[in-house]
Amino acid sequence: MALKIVKGSIDRMFDKNLQDLVRGIRNHKDDEAKYISTCIDEIKQELKQDNIAVKANAVCKLTYLQMLGYDVSWAAFNIVEVMSSSKFTYKRIGYLAASQCFHESTDVIMLTTNQIRKDLSSPNQYDTGVALTGLSCFVTPDLARDLANDIMTLMSHTKPYIRKKAVLIMYKVFLKYPESLRPAFPRLKEKLEDPDPGVQSAAVNVICELARRNPKNYLSLAPLFFKLMTSSTNNWVLIKIIKLFGALTPLEPRLGKKLIEPLTNLIHSTSAMSLLYECVNTVIAVLISLSSGMPNHSASIQLCVQKLRILIEDSDQNLKYLGLLAMSKILKTHPKSVQSHKDLILQCLDDKDESIRLRALDLLYGMVSKKNLMEIVKKLMLHVDKAEGTTYRDELLTKIIDICSQSNYQYITNFEWYISILVELTRLEGTRHGHLIASQMLDVAIRVKAIRVFAVAQMATLLDNAHLLTGNMQRNGICEVLYAAAWICGEFSEHLENPLQTLEAMLRPKVATLPGHIQAVYVQNAAKLFATVLQSQKDNTDGTTAQETSQLMIDRLPLFVQSANLEVQERASCILQLVKYIQKLQQKEVEVAEEVIALFAGELNPVAPKAQKKVPIPEGLDLDAWINEPPSESESEDEQPKAIFTKEEPKHSRPRHTEVDEKELARRREARKQEQANNPFYIKASPSSQKVYQDTPGVEHIPVVQIDLSVPLKVPGLPMSDQYVKLEEERRQKERADKKKKEKKKKKEKRSGRGKKHDSGPESEEDITPAHMVDIVTEEMPENALPSDEDDKDPNDPHKALDIDLDKPLADSEKLPVRSHRPTEVQKSPDGDAVSTLQEAKRSIKEKKEKKKDKERDRKVRFAFKCHLLSNRISARYASSMTKTSHLKVFNDSYLSFAFGRRAKKRRRRKNTNMKKRGWIYSGISQTSPSSNLKDPVYDIQGNLQDGSQVVVSVIFENKCDSFLKSMEFNVLDSLNSKLQRPEGAGAHDGLTVPFQLPPGVSNEARFVFTVQSIVMPQKLKGTLTFIVKNEDSSTHEKLDFKLHFTCTSYLITTPCYSDAFAKLLESGDLKGSSVKLEGINMPFHHLLARICFHHHFSVVERVDSCASMYSRSIQGHHVCLLVKTSNQTVSIDAKCDEPALLGNVLDEIKQTFSECDCVHG
Amino acid sequence: MMRFMLLFSRQGKLRLQKWYTATAERDKKKMVRELMQIVLARKPKMCSFLEWRDLKIVYKRYASLYFCCAVEEHDNELITLEVIHRFVELLDKYFGSVCELDIIFNFEKAYFILDEFLMGGEIQDTSKKSVLKAIEQADILQEEDESPRSVLEEMGLA
């Protein structure tokens, strides 16, 4: 023994410690991976040693390697070993490793329950602390359920150190096991008034987190928190409380009103920026929740804005950023207060920190008005020019478009200006947002009818200068604009000044280098232009221009007919044939223009993006039903080119340019207005615009402001939107002047009357009239469209489960589970019951497995639950724990149960082994047992990993009769191989006294250690339990015989194994093979595997289709490898093991399991 | 609630990681890589906050080490900075003017300190003193574990 220790210590001296490892890694910069893999090999060796110090050192190194990104999950079991060391030094390392490496699907976690429970109740507060800290990182729903009660008790521990940790971890427990919230809440609430400030702040933290998710359940705590807020001086706590109030106020406006005063006081007085920031945020939240427009709160808003201004002006970038962030919250409800700080925000656009600039941009979005839009966008355009880096520039671009297009172009007074901005943006180098610009151009041109003339002219220029956009291949993104330009020019070609020139531009050979979907649009719209040219030449008797145009088309289109893109090809060939035909007709001098233009007649109205979705399905229509026989699957759908906008709809057959007289026009307008009035999705024009609308004879006649000739419309490359800013300024001034004149007149008229005072302050929003009347066409929606989409909450939010009413009194059923032995019901028919428990056991295996399956469907499935045993009379189920002293964790309430004799008393027996190796044993108690009394024994057997020859059997005795049982003595007839360990000095046949007595209905557990020599054979041990049954009047001596069945499977331990290690093992050639065939198994393969895992303690190494490799290890270190294959109800198991006898027995047991299962099935 | 805390060097070497919510190993690696890239690319004059996925990232550089925390949307950025600073102070007190090497070679100690300071993503104790006291006590306990056995005893010769 001494030698062993010496050897261990010497080994240890040569082991690398963590420092050596770190140093080594730093010295092997070139071949780090190789060095680490040798280190891992060493660590594996160290983990095999018995010395816990060596193991802890190895685990510590593994934790370091885990941080570097190496997989250490294979050592999970060793981590548990180190965790359960009795020495704090090692325990600390074990828990640290566990908290770093374990996660919910780590299967050994379930083995830690008892160890953690033990540590939680340790007299040493640091043991408890370390366990709580670790648990907070890897708590699972199972752990939370099993330990909730223990942790709740710790909340009232005498040491504040423990209390505060227990309080904090309760939050994690609630999340994993929501049922614990109600029973634990009263105690948590108590902790708000704990004498220790640490505990108090922990409780505030937890309740704040809880309340943030489900505030309504915590409203009743408001007075308590209010008291805390006004009394506490700890800023950390104050911040949490204030945050909590922020969550509560939306539900209770009165609370908000009460809060304003203390919060503003804090804002005035505090010097801590974090607290100030929190207060400002909460005041904002409060004011948002209060009905807006309460006059007496404008002071608070002003205060907030002032403070935020100070933050933004601060040189500290962090404060600047947060100031802007908070400002944007105020902006939503009180835009006026923020708008007055426009100067400051615009300054921030020059900040060197990009994140600050982006924040400022966000703010600008909300700050624009009709008045300042042009100015702000002008600034932004300057920034676009200056911006370094495409990301920020792209961000600016999208922001400009967002700002302008928000709320249906609400703030745009001059669409010519906007189109110019869009055109300017196309000159941005390397932008990815060509798409966005294109869709804006289309949207504006389609929906703002008045702007079409201008837009078409601009687009024609763009097309003419397309080479500027496409010249550089890197600027590919921007060529999307040409898509829009071509479509606009084609569709609204009647507005083109020189359609022939544009047509020519669209048919240049260079176009063939554009992406296919753009070419397709080019070709299609060339045809529209062609029709327009013909139309314009209609009255020209000469006809040469028309014929030249046809020739141009015929010359250029073949280029597109050869295109590789199907869409382009198809359109081009159709149109080419059409033009050729037209040319023939032209040569015969037939008038064709009317007919050609009729091809493209009708107006395209924009359709709302959601329109299709909103069409209600008529009753009785089943869109999924086949109308005729389903076609064969080989049919493929035609490829559709990606459409850039979804607004296209089938063309109406109504001719576009029919001459209509005034009356007809008026009639139609009336009809349309009627239609619009009935259409809920049509935005009704504001009164002012309606007036103008009525005055003008028709859309085509909307007056368009004369464009200043100094604006170089036709010269691309020069910014021109600036001109509009100037123009707009002049226009507004003029308007103002006009108005003043009018007002003066009015005043003069009225002076004699009431002498009403006129507000002569700065012009308000409403005063700015658009430069020209625009009719923004709303997107069409189907009739009967269903309004509004409901926004769903995320169903996966774990906090949803915590939405629990905490004010209801606790019901008995809600008590936290307290660990106790579960009662077995009195069973009348042993056979029937065995079946039912077995079925229940099976069902829960299935449930467990299915849960798992969901999680890791395609991943390796490893089962950590084990042992289920049955004989024809008995069924039992065990789970095992890893700890020396504590019992198994039992999964299920069905223990091994028997009933015999007339009086149906029960004893339950469960056997539990020590650390690491466990197994199960059959127990058979013959029904012919002479004992007619008492009890149902339940036992569980576990091997001891540290000592390959020890097995611990723990037995639960439960007294089911009405009498008192005492003087119980447990005795087993030893075999050569297995012996009950008796105290020193006791005879080989003496029984062991069970160290307790059993009053009626009480159960208790005793453990007995057996030494086992060989584990290769199963064995049965006969035993007897003697006891005295004491009644009021008499006492009798009773005896109960039983058998303990140590199966070979019970010596196996589920040990995870990786496929590489597994392959090595098989290749080593040390193993001997054997195989077995199971016939008539008709269960799914994964059930089969689960069953083997569960009953026989195997783990799945790898699974491919209907073939799986499995592994297990015996307490004495034998490797057992299985290869399981299935086909047509036949399962063949090829097995290898270094101990053939053990293997044979294990296979027999597996076979038996399946034959029994089938019996039960049948 | 804090979701995780990372310490990494200017060279992009992870020195410490603490996750307060269960996260799969693969996601952790991906997130760490992504975040390190973002944070290391930021210029020194930039503010310490950034929005990333649905989280707020608060980071600060101390000498060659970046301390980087991910907090939830409602959390207070400034207090998170304060947490980082407090942690640095604690390390400093414990190691005595801490440097990166201290954390590399005593990484488990750094974890122990962090675990006394934060738990489950919440501040455990707002008092520096009591955190340091707890660490000290635990260390003493650890020494008691180790010291009473002389070398000879340990060798099994005593």
Side-chain angles (χ1 to χ4, degrees):
Chain A
M1 200 63 180
L3 185 69
K4 206 173 165 192
I5 296 174
V6 173
K7 194 172 163 286
S9 302
I10 291 173
D11 281 350
R12 230 182 114 187
M13 284 196 273
F14 293 110
D15 283 343
K16 277 197 197 82
N17 63 16
L18 177 66
Q19 272 76 19
D20 299 330
L21 175 79
V22 175
R23 214 165 282 136
I25 293 174
R26 289 167 74 82
N27 290 337
H28 289 78
K29 287 218 165 84
D30 303 329
D31 53 347
E32 193 183 289
K34 199 175 141 211
Y35 178 75
I36 288 178
S37 84
T38 59
C39 287
I40 290 183
D41 287 343
E42 282 170 22
I43 290 170
K44 281 184 180 163
Q45 288 307 315
E46 287 165 29
L47 288 174
K48 280 189 190 141
Q49 293 186 31
D50 287 339
N51 190 331
I52 190 74
V54 176
K55 274 189 187 167
N57 182 42
V59 163
C60 188
K61 288 191 279 184
L62 280 178
T63 315
Y64 186 79
L65 293 177
Q66 190 267 350
M67 184 174 67
L68 297 184
Y70 292 85
D71 174 39
V72 300
S73 52
W74 49 269
F77 192 83
N78 302 104
I79 292 173
V80 175
E81 280 180 289
V82 177
M83 272 165 79
S84 27
S85 157
S86 56
K87 281 200 182 140
F88 178 70
T89 316
Y90 307 136
K91 190 183 287 300
R92 207 181 187 189
I93 289 171
Y95 272 102
L96 173 65
S99 66
Q100 294 299 108
C101 311
F102 286 5
H103 44 89
E104 275 197 16
S105 48
T106 305
D107 35 24
V108 294
I109 282 190
M110 64 193 347
L111 306 173
T112 59
T113 318
N114 285 307
Q115 178 60 40
I116 295 173
R117 178 174 286 134
K118 194 184 134 209
D119 289 335
L120 290 182
S121 55
S122 159
N124 180 346
Q125 61 168 333
Y126 294 103
D127 280 350
T128 314
V130 118
L132 284 171
T133 309
L135 190 59
S136 74
C137 292
F138 58 77
V139 61
T140 60
D142 281 345
L143 282 178
R145 189 194 57 233
D146 295 340
L147 296 173
N149 197 51
D150 304 65
I151 299 173
M152 199 168 95
T153 321
L154 289 180
M155 284 208 284
S156 313
H157 199 269
T158 48
K159 301 238 169 65
Y161 177 78
I162 301 298
R163 287 207 300 275
K164 84 186 171 203
K165 280 181 192 271
V167 167
L168 279 178
I169 202 180
M170 268 331 260
Y171 179 62
K172 298 275 174 186
V173 172
F174 295 151
L175 283 181
K176 299 287 175 191
Y177 180 57
E179 289 86 339
S180 59
L181 178 55
R182 272 171 53 72
F185 193 71
R187 198 169 290 185
L188 183 61
K189 208 167 113 182
E190 271 169 37
K191 297 296 127 192
L192 285 175
E193 293 176 294
D194 196 280
D196 183 84
V199 180
Q200 198 183 33
S201 94
V204 170
N205 279 346
V206 170
I207 293 183
C208 177
E209 280 301 315
L210 288 169
R212 221 149 77 175
R213 265 68 192 221
N214 302 295
K216 69 173 188 305
N217 303 326
Y218 301 87
L219 267 178
S220 57
L221 290 181
L224 186 56
F225 277 113
F226 201 82
K227 202 176 95 195
L228 276 178
M229 181 175 77
T230 41
S231 60
S232 176
T233 50
N234 182 336
N235 283 348
W236 304 71
V237 175
L238 273 177
I239 286 177
K240 285 280 176 183
I241 295 177
I242 290 168
K243 197 178 280 299
L244 172 77
F245 277 126
L248 294 183
T249 42
L251 301 164
E252 182 54 275
R254 279 175 305 174
L255 180 64
K257 276 179 211 158
K258 234 183 133 183
L259 276 175
I260 292 283
E261 202 206 318
L263 286 182
T264 41
N265 287 345
L266 270 177
I267 292 178
H268 278 300
S269 63
T270 185
S271 59
M273 278 300 175
S274 48
L275 182 57
L276 173 82
Y277 180 62
E278 199 58 55
C279 289
V280 169
N281 266 331
T282 304
V283 168
I284 296 168
V286 167
L287 293 177
I288 288 173
S289 67
L290 291 178
S291 53
S292 54
M294 294 194 71
N296 47 339
H297 292 311
S298 62
S300 316
I301 279 288
Q302 279 314 317
L303 177 67
C304 288
V305 175
Q306 257 172 35
K307 287 282 174 186
L308 290 180
R309 188 174 172 113
I310 294 173
L311 290 191
I312 296 174
E313 281 171 338
D314 199 288
S315 59
D316 184 342
Q317 299 288 67
N318 292 337
L319 297 183
K320 205 184 270 278
Y321 177 88
L322 293 179
L324 290 169
L325 198 66
M327 208 60 131
S328 62
K329 285 180 197 154
I330 301 188
L331 185 72
K332 281 176 202 135
T333 46
H334 300 79
K336 287 254 166 66
S337 327
V338 181
Q339 270 163 12
S340 52
H341 300 281
K342 195 180 70 195
D343 56 317
L344 187 63
I345 313 292
L346 283 172
Q347 262 175 39
C348 290
L349 283 181
D350 294 318
D351 199 282
K352 47 196 173 303
D353 184 348
E354 190 175 300
S355 41
I356 288 179
R357 293 197 300 257
L358 292 176
R359 284 278 149 236
L361 274 180
D362 282 346
L363 264 176
L364 281 179
Y365 175 83
M367 287 175 69
V368 290
S369 62
K370 281 184 180 164
K371 203 165 42 168
N372 62 17
L373 174 73
M374 283 188 169
E375 185 199 334
I376 288 181
V377 172
K378 187 180 161 191
K379 284 244 175 177
L380 292 181
M381 293 297 282
L382 283 178
H383 280 281
V384 171
D385 286 340
K386 280 193 291 182
E388 308 153 13
T390 45
T391 344
Y392 179 58
R393 207 171 40 198
D394 279 356
E395 186 64 30
L396 271 170
L397 188 152
T398 42
K399 267 281 139 37
I400 290 175
I401 290 180
D402 278 355
I403 286 175
C404 293
S405 62
Q406 64 177 310
S407 343
N408 210 12
Y409 307 105
Q410 187 191 349
Y411 300 116
I412 295 186
T413 50
N414 188 333
F415 276 93
E416 285 183 18
W417 164 80
Y418 186 45
I419 295 269
S420 320
I421 290 283
L422 289 176
V423 172
E424 269 173 51
L425 287 177
T426 63
R427 294 189 204 111
L428 271 191
E429 245 172 272
T431 180
R432 288 176 296 116
H433 293 295
H435 230 82
L436 191 62
I437 303 176
S439 65
Q440 281 292 300
M441 286 174 168
L442 285 168
D443 200 40
V444 172
I446 293 169
R447 295 175 57 195
V448 186
K449 290 183 178 168
I451 204 65
R452 285 180 190 165
V453 179
F454 180 75
V456 162
Q458 290 291 303
M459 295 303 122
T461 320
L462 261 187
L463 286 178
D464 221 16
N465 297 291
H467 57 278
L468 290 178
L469 298 181
T470 55
N472 187 344
M473 279 314 273
Q474 282 186 327
R475 302 171 67 187
N476 255 347
I478 203 67
C479 65
E480 288 295 331
V481 203
L482 294 175
Y483 180 109
W487 191 86
I488 292 169
C489 285
E491 187 60 25
F492 307 117
S493 50
E494 70 270 21
H495 302 302
L496 270 178
E497 230 170 86
N498 191 347
L500 190 54
Q501 188 192 339
T502 311
L503 180 62
E504 200 275 328
M506 281 169 69
L507 292 172
R508 282 179 202 151
K510 183 109 200 203
V511 173
T513 60
L514 290 173
H517 66 282
I518 300 182
Q519 286 185 53
V521 169
Y522 263 68
V523 171
Q524 184 73 14
N525 285 286
K528 292 184 197 165
L529 280 174
F530 174 63
T532 316
V533 174
L534 291 191
Q535 176 77 1
S536 66
Q537 296 297 320
K538 195 175 66 176
D539 304 325
N540 193 341
T541 45
D542 178 13
T544 45
T545 321
Q547 286 194 17
E548 273 168 25
T549 317
S550 306
Q551 194 52 49
L552 176 74
M553 294 286 277
I554 290 167
D555 290 345
R556 299 281 177 85
L557 278 175
L559 177 66
F560 299 100
V561 175
Q562 293 159 11
S563 168
N565 186 301
L566 277 183
E567 177 77 12
V568 180
Q569 204 185 86
E570 191 174 359
R571 289 189 191 219
S573 28
C574 284
I575 291 165
L576 183 59
Q577 292 314 310
L578 179 73
V579 177
K580 280 181 181 163
Y581 180 67
I582 291 170
Q583 196 183 31
K584 263 188 215 158
L585 293 177
Q586 280 173 336
Q587 280 155 4
K588 290 178 194 161
E589 299 199 355
V590 180
E591 189 57 66
V592 286
E594 285 290 347
E595 279 154 40
V596 176
I597 201 94
L599 287 174
F600 304 106
E603 196 162 340
L604 296 179
N605 289 334
V607 175
K610 284 182 186 162
Q612 183 63 51
K613 213 167 71 187
K614 301 243 169 174
V615 178
I617 298 175
E619 244 173 86
L621 174 65
D622 181 7
L623 290 174
D624 295 329
W626 283 102
I627 299 171
N628 37 342
E629 286 299 295
S632 65
E633 278 179 19
S634 60
E635 252 174 77
S636 64
E637 277 176 30
D638 288 346
E639 266 180 53
Q640 295 273 338
K642 205 168 66 178
I644 194 171
F645 61 104
T646 50
K647 289 154 194 147
E648 242 166 329
E649 66 166 18
K651 298 177 181 186
H652 298 249
S653 52
R654 181 160 50 95
R656 200 194 296 174
H657 273 297
T658 40
E659 297 285 302
V660 228
D661 61 7
E662 279 304 313
K663 260 188 198 165
E664 173 66 10
L665 255 179
R667 198 189 58 76
R668 280 191 198 169
R669 198 159 48 234
E670 214 39 57
R672 192 167 57 230
K673 256 201 246 165
Q674 199 66 37
E675 198 184 286
Q676 285 166 3
N678 293 334
N679 184 348
F681 297 98
Y682 198 94
I683 293 181
K684 272 81 179 179
S686 63
S688 64
S689 64
Q690 206 155 24
K691 216 168 85 198
V692 186
Y693 190 71
Q694 280 161 354
D695 290 345
T696 52
V699 184
E700 286 83 355
H701 304 277
I702 289 172
V704 173
V705 164
Q706 202 60 46
I707 296 159
D708 191 337
L709 286 178
S710 64
V711 183
L713 275 187
K714 305 276 177 186
V715 186
L718 284 180
M720 45 196 176
S721 56
D722 285 359
Q723 301 294 333
Y724 288 97
V725 181
K726 222 194 278 166
L727 274 178
E728 184 71 11
E729 209 42 54
E730 284 164 14
R731 188 179 68 85
R732 283 185 197 170
Q733 245 161 23
K734 211 177 124 214
E735 247 170 38
R736 237 174 290 161
D738 285 353
K739 217 182 225 163
K740 263 188 195 154
K741 262 186 224 161
K742 269 187 210 162
E743 269 171 22
K744 259 185 199 163
K745 264 188 204 165
K746 269 189 200 164
K747 265 186 195 166
K748 267 180 199 163
E749 285 162 12
K750 286 196 175 176
R751 195 158 283 170
S752 53
R754 284 172 226 161
K756 208 176 175 184
K757 233 181 162 184
H758 270 265
D759 190 7
S760 52
E763 58 178 343
S764 65
E765 280 286 279
E766 290 74 14
D767 291 338
I768 302 171
T769 49
H772 30 221
M773 235 31 257
V774 287
D775 167 26
I776 300 178
V777 181
T778 329
E779 292 156 338
E780 283 190 346
M781 281 296 238
E783 281 170 42
N784 315 324
L786 310 161
S788 82
D789 317 37
E790 51 293 319
D791 47 352
D792 291 337
K793 272 194 181 172
D794 180 11
N796 297 326
D797 185 3
H799 302 289
K800 252 185 136 178
L802 288 183
D803 190 0
I804 295 167
D805 184 1
L806 295 165
D807 298 331
K808 257 193 334 205
L810 274 180
D812 276 352
S813 58
E814 284 184 295
K815 293 239 170 78
L816 284 178
V818 179
R819 186 176 54 126
S820 65
H821 298 304
R822 292 155 215 224
T824 348
E825 286 116 53
V826 180
Q827 289 157 336
K828 278 172 196 146
S829 140
D831 287 346
D833 220 84
V835 172
S836 76
T837 31
L838 179 64
Q839 275 168 347
E840 195 181 331
K842 263 195 213 150
R843 199 180 53 231
S844 80
I845 301 174
K846 247 188 219 160
E847 277 164 14
K848 267 239 142 97
K849 236 188 53 200
E850 255 143 45
K851 240 198 242 162
K852 256 215 144 99
K853 207 173 72 188
D854 285 346
K855 267 198 203 149
E856 35 181 336
R857 177 150 298 184
D858 292 319
R859 270 192 274 153
K860 262 188 256 170
V861 190
R862 235 178 301 130
F863 299 92
F865 43 92
K866 34 212 78 114
C867 51
H868 166 222
L869 98 89
L870 43 125
S871 71
N872 44 7
R873 213 175 284 119
I874 315 147
S875 86
R877 151 180 273 250
Y878 318 98
S880 31
S881 91
M882 310 289 314
T883 48
K884 241 181 255 174
T885 50
S886 53
H887 325 130
L888 318 171
K889 176 185 158 204
V890 177
F891 278 120
N892 177 314
D893 352 12
S894 65
Y895 292 117
L896 179 60
S897 48
F898 340 73
F900 36 108
R902 285 151 289 165
R903 294 171 65 177
K905 292 190 179 179
K906 285 186 166 184
R907 184 183 70 176
R908 306 164 94 221
R909 170 169 297 189
R910 189 171 65 163
K911 307 221 160 188
N912 184 352
T913 50
N914 261 0
M915 295 281 303
K916 298 187 188 171
K917 301 264 170 170
R918 34 194 187 272
W920 49 263
I921 312 182
Y922 276 145
S923 136
I925 294 187
S926 103
Q927 227 173 354
T928 55
S929 152
S931 164
S932 56
N933 264 350
L934 129 83
K935 300 195 206 175
D936 219 14
V938 176
Y939 65 82
D940 185 71
I941 303 176
Q942 264 198 325
N944 183 342
L945 246 198
Q946 286 186 328
D947 187 339
S949 60
Q950 257 187 18
V951 166
V952 175
V953 177
S954 55
V955 185
I956 295 178
F957 301 89
E958 185 177 8
N959 183 356
K960 283 281 186 177
C961 71
D962 312 327
S963 315
F964 198 89
L965 303 182
K966 59 181 218 180
S967 307
M968 286 186 281
E969 229 171 62
F970 179 90
N971 200 1
V972 172
L973 200 59
D974 292 347
S975 70
L976 277 177
N977 191 32
S978 314
K979 292 187 170 67
L980 175 64
Q981 272 196 358
R982 296 176 168 86
E984 272 177 58
H989 303 292
D990 292 353
L992 288 182
T993 312
V994 179
F996 47 79
Q997 302 183 332
L998 286 178
V1002 168
S1003 67
N1004 208 336
E1005 179 181 311
R1007 263 168 286 125
F1008 306 96
V1009 180
F1010 286 77
T1011 45
V1012 184
Q1013 304 263 296
S1014 154
I1015 59 159
V1016 300
M1017 298 285 280
Q1019 48 196 316
K1020 287 178 188 168
L1021 293 186
K1022 275 190 190 163
T1024 320
L1025 184 78
T1026 54
F1027 50 93
I1028 294 173
V1029 182
K1030 198 168 176 245
N1031 286 328
E1032 271 170 38
D1033 42 345
S1034 68
S1035 60
T1036 46
H1037 209 262
E1038 296 268 6
K1039 197 176 112 186
L1040 182 70
D1041 289 336
F1042 59 87
K1043 272 182 198 164
L1044 291 176
H1045 190 170
F1046 292 73
T1047 58
C1048 282
T1049 304
S1050 59
Y1051 303 122
L1052 295 184
I1053 306 170
T1054 308
T1055 317
C1057 179
Y1058 288 98
S1059 48
D1060 46 348
F1062 189 76
K1064 250 185 221 163
L1065 200 59
L1066 288 180
E1067 280 164 14
S1068 67
D1070 301 339
L1071 309 183
K1072 315 217 166 33
S1074 173
S1075 59
V1076 67
K1077 262 205 165 83
L1078 309 171
E1079 303 281 353
I1081 304 288
N1082 51 357
M1083 66 174 85
F1085 190 53
H1086 56 276
H1087 285 195
L1088 178 103
L1089 292 183
R1091 194 156 286 180
I1092 297 176
C1093 288
F1094 190 85
H1095 295 300
H1096 300 283
H1097 314 170
F1098 279 86
S1099 64
V1100 177
V1101 178
E1102 206 164 21
R1103 182 186 160 183
V1104 182
D1105 301 327
S1106 57
C1107 189
S1109 47
M1110 307 179 90
Y1111 177 79
S1112 186
R1113 215 168 64 147
S1114 77
I1115 54 170
Q1116 292 179 354
H1118 304 112
H1119 303 284
V1120 188
C1121 307
L1122 299 185
L1123 183 66
V1124 186
K1125 283 183 245 168
T1126 181
S1127 64
N1128 298 334
Q1129 304 201 358
T1130 307
V1131 178
S1132 67
I1133 302 179
D1134 294 314
K1136 280 193 168 181
C1137 176
D1138 35 15
E1139 179 52 64
L1142 175 70
L1143 182 63
N1145 287 317
V1146 169
L1147 288 180
D1148 285 348
E1149 283 160 20
I1150 291 179
K1151 209 168 174 178
Q1152 198 186 356
T1153 305
F1154 282 96
S1155 63
E1156 276 158 7
C1157 290
D1158 289 346
C1159 286
V1160 177
H1161 270 306
Chain B
M1 194 188 89
M2 190 181 290
R3 293 284 190 84
F4 57 86
M5 184 189 249
L6 305 176
L7 262 70
F8 50 85
S9 69
R10 220 149 49 99
Q11 291 77 33
K13 288 254 197 273
L14 195 59
R15 295 301 181 207
L16 209 72
Q17 56 171 343
K18 191 85 199 175
W19 298 76
Y20 294 108
T21 46
T23 318
E25 213 52 51
R26 203 157 33 109
D27 296 336
K28 278 188 193 172
K29 273 189 200 162
K30 204 172 146 224
M31 287 163 91
V32 168
R33 214 177 22 238
E34 207 174 304
L35 254 187
M36 278 207 283
Q37 228 166 33
I38 297 175
V39 171
L40 289 174
R42 285 172 70 91
K43 296 186 189 96
K45 279 288 167 71
M46 286 179 147
C47 71
S48 305
F49 316 125
L50 54 122
E51 277 170 20
W52 180 73
R53 303 197 183 178
D54 58 339
L55 298 174
K56 290 201 278 202
I57 306 296
V58 179
Y59 71 92
K60 195 159 166 73
R61 187 177 152 186
Y62 288 87
S64 57
L65 265 190
Y66 282 87
F67 289 68
C68 176
C69 295
V71 295
E72 286 168 0
E73 198 194 330
H74 297 278
D75 285 316
N76 187 320
E77 291 94 336
L78 290 173
I79 209 75
T80 312
L81 266 185
E82 199 95 346
V83 167
I84 292 179
H85 188 71
R86 181 64 64 93
F87 180 46
V88 174
E89 282 180 336
L90 287 170
L91 289 173
D92 208 52
K93 276 258 164 60
Y94 184 85
F95 288 110
S97 93
V98 66
C99 67
E100 192 181 338
L101 283 180
D102 287 326
I103 294 174
I104 297 173
F105 282 107
N106 300 289
F107 88 115
E108 86 276 20
K109 294 282 182 206
Y111 275 123
F112 294 150
I113 296 172
L114 184 60
D115 284 343
E116 284 302 330
F117 177 44
L118 294 175
M119 188 168 135
E122 296 288 347
I123 301 156
Q124 202 179 123
D125 210 313
T126 54
S127 140
K128 247 184 291 184
K129 248 192 225 154
S130 67
V131 174
L132 284 170
K133 206 183 118 207
I135 291 285
E136 219 171 274
Q137 295 288 327
D139 279 351
I140 289 171
L141 192 65
Q142 178 163 347
E143 276 156 28
E144 277 169 6
D145 262 1
E146 284 167 354
S147 57
R149 305 174 76 212
S150 70
V151 180
L152 280 180
E153 252 180 313
E154 189 151 295
M155 306 267 283
L157 298 174

